[in-house]
Amino acid sequence: MLTEALARLGRSGIGAIAGLGRASLLLVAMLGGLRELAPRPRLLLAQVYNIGVLSVLIIAVSGLFVGMVLSLQGYYVLAQFGASESLGIMVAASLVRELGPVVAALLVAGRAGSALTAEIGLMKATEQLSALEMMAVDPVRRILTPRFFGGFLAMPLLAAMFSALGVLGGWFVGVGLLGVDDGAFWSQMQAKLDFREDVVNGVIKSLVFGVVVTWIALFQGYDATPTSAGVSRATTRSVVHAALAVLGLDFILTALMFGG
Amino acid sequence: MGTTRTMEILVGAFMAAGFVALFFLSMRVSNLSAGGDGNGYALTARFDNIGSLKVRAPVSMAGVRLGRVEAIGFDQDAYQAVVTMRIDAAYDRLPTDTFANIYTAGLLGEQYVGLDPGGSPDYLHDGDQIEHTQSALVLEQMVGQFLFSKAQEGSQ
């Protein structure tokens, strides 16, 4: 009874570590495909389109509304202290430092990451990946590498769009609807937000999230059990794992960047 | 061919929009444009107490920001704080007997270095030290002095 429970724990532990190992090997293999990707930029272009361009709408709309809500809620608290002029700092700092990279990564994991997993998983289930291998084409380098770098490139741009539109949404609500002074909104924001501290750290975060989200999505697809149920489970796992990884890494990155 | 072309244009527009957003965040939202970091000239000043002055706090004269605090150090021999300020190159005619104070913006605001011009015909240059300084007002000390003087009045 006890030994059975211990064995089950051990099995799941070994399974997790083996999965981590396969994921790391896949990452190395994908990075190794960079040399073959360089002469074929069109493959990358198609993936930037899939992951980036097709995510613009959800990113833009979410960014706008998150900024507007931040502005409304922030104004409520700040007005109690007579500090409603600081609304710009609050909206911009929370967007550029945290919400931009994190929410954009969560949205990309849901919109593009799940699609990547399902696509790769189905390719595996329908033996398209094996067919490629039969033709002496390495499926990791041909299929996975362009998707990985597409996500890596698209994520910081999407996060920047999210933050920029969020600030504009916050400005619209704060200045346009709630009557915060236009000059104070921008000038206090500029005085308090630092390029290196805030903007660059936000971009670093979104680069890390871009790697993690696409890596998890591609690994889950590549590692999926090649059945309908397996692909469905892998798609779920892809979104759940990516969301958990983004939120966990965000804490670690924030502690490293702003904690000291 | 047509679809590839459309895709190329859309990806180009996407990347352009991303870079515009980054540019907006750098220039409009953060203070990259107002920086002047790296250029300009450095001045040092010694204070007995800098209160809660921080690096990057503004340095201003007559309410206009002339530069920023670049570094804050400590002199172990004189037990004083050494504040290095970087003044924008445009403001190169500060008299040598300029007076440096540490003020607080508003009642609870952050602290900044306020410069008051002297009357000297010579100007401060890169690396010069401002000789006349006044420390930050620390609220606890002021309250303590006030109570002390009141107590003395009472005992007389």
Side-chain angles (χ1 to χ4, degrees):
Chain A
M1 187 65 184
L2 184 66
T3 46
E4 180 54 35
L6 265 180
R8 203 174 302 147
L9 184 67
R11 255 203 310 279
S12 65
I14 291 169
I17 291 170
L20 210 59
R22 286 199 302 279
S24 308
L25 286 177
L26 183 71
L27 181 67
V28 172
M30 285 193 295
L31 292 176
L34 188 58
R35 203 150 13 102
E36 286 167 40
L37 183 64
R40 295 192 190 85
R42 194 140 292 175
L43 287 177
L44 183 63
L45 190 81
Q47 295 313 319
V48 174
Y49 178 80
N50 269 340
I51 299 167
V53 178
L54 295 182
S55 303
V56 165
L57 187 67
I58 187 172
I59 289 285
V61 173
S62 322
L64 210 57
F65 279 109
V66 166
M68 284 159 67
V69 168
L70 265 181
S71 198
L72 267 179
Q73 299 283 20
Y75 181 81
Y76 172 73
V77 176
L78 289 172
Q80 292 186 344
F81 299 101
S84 55
E85 258 64 43
S86 305
L87 188 64
I89 307 169
M90 204 213 80
V91 171
S94 33
L95 277 167
V96 171
R97 285 179 162 200
E98 290 295 334
L99 290 174
V102 171
V103 180
L106 293 178
L107 289 172
V108 169
R111 208 220 66 95
S114 57
L116 284 178
T117 308
E119 189 187 15
I120 305 288
L122 272 176
M123 279 186 181
K124 191 179 179 192
T126 54
E127 293 177 351
Q128 296 179 47
L129 295 184
S130 315
L132 276 177
E133 250 169 308
M134 294 270 287
M135 293 186 285
V137 177
D138 184 347
V140 171
R141 298 189 167 192
R142 180 75 187 200
I143 304 289
L144 268 63
T145 301
R147 286 165 174 74
F148 179 73
F149 284 100
F152 176 72
L153 285 179
M155 184 68 92
L157 297 177
L158 289 171
M161 286 180 205
F162 186 97
S163 302
L165 283 165
V167 170
L168 288 178
W171 170 80
F172 172 72
V173 168
V175 176
L177 302 182
L178 298 172
V180 175
D181 182 58
D182 188 29
F185 185 87
W186 290 110
S187 66
Q188 294 218 12
M189 190 193 298
Q190 286 169 0
K192 282 286 158 49
L193 258 75
D194 184 51
F195 175 70
R196 170 69 194 80
E197 274 276 295
D198 296 313
V199 177
V200 173
N201 276 347
V203 171
I204 293 174
K205 271 188 181 179
S206 60
L207 281 171
V208 173
F209 295 160
V211 169
V212 167
V213 166
T214 37
W215 179 23
I216 288 177
L218 292 172
F219 172 69
Q220 291 297 349
Y222 195 68
D223 206 49
T225 318
T227 58
S228 328
V231 173
S232 128
R233 265 203 311 277
T235 312
T236 309
R237 263 207 310 271
S238 160
V239 176
V240 172
H241 286 192
L244 291 178
V246 164
L247 294 171
L249 269 175
D250 181 53
F251 173 73
I252 295 171
L253 286 173
T254 305
L256 285 178
M257 287 168 173
F258 304 110
Chain B
M1 188 63 214
T3 51
T4 319
R5 183 104 187 105
T6 321
M7 191 189 285
E8 279 175 352
I9 292 169
L10 283 172
V11 170
F14 165 71
M15 298 191 71
F19 285 119
V20 166
L22 270 180
F23 183 77
F24 171 79
L25 291 178
S26 324
M27 290 301 174
R28 192 72 216 255
V29 174
S30 79
N31 49 11
L32 188 62
S33 54
D37 290 46
N39 44 45
Y41 60 100
L43 296 178
T44 57
R46 290 164 170 274
F47 294 93
D48 291 330
N49 188 341
I50 58 167
S52 59
L53 188 74
K54 299 277 191 323
V55 172
R56 295 195 65 83
V59 177
S60 60
M61 179 179 277
V64 179
R65 194 183 69 81
L66 306 187
R68 286 186 182 280
V69 172
E70 192 176 52
I72 295 173
F74 183 67
D75 180 350
Q76 289 212 45
D77 297 322
Y79 302 110
Q80 282 180 321
V82 182
V83 175
T84 309
M85 295 165 277
R86 189 154 287 276
I87 309 292
D88 292 354
Y91 309 113
D92 56 354
R93 289 189 306 190
L94 302 177
T96 49
D97 55 351
T98 293
F99 202 93
N101 299 286
I102 295 180
Y103 293 126
T104 308
L107 191 59
L108 297 167
E110 64 166 349
Q111 292 188 305
Y112 66 98
V113 179
L115 300 179
D116 290 317
S120 164
D122 299 324
Y123 300 127
L124 287 165
H125 297 292
D126 187 40
D128 285 357
Q129 181 169 336
I130 296 176
E131 300 297 340
H132 311 288
T133 63
Q134 191 190 333
S135 295
L137 289 175
V138 179
L139 201 61
E140 290 91 326
Q141 286 179 358
M142 283 168 62
V143 172
Q145 278 168 1
F146 175 74
L147 290 178
F148 188 67
S149 63
K150 276 289 175 199
Q152 272 191 330
E153 272 176 33
S155 66
Q156 276 167 5

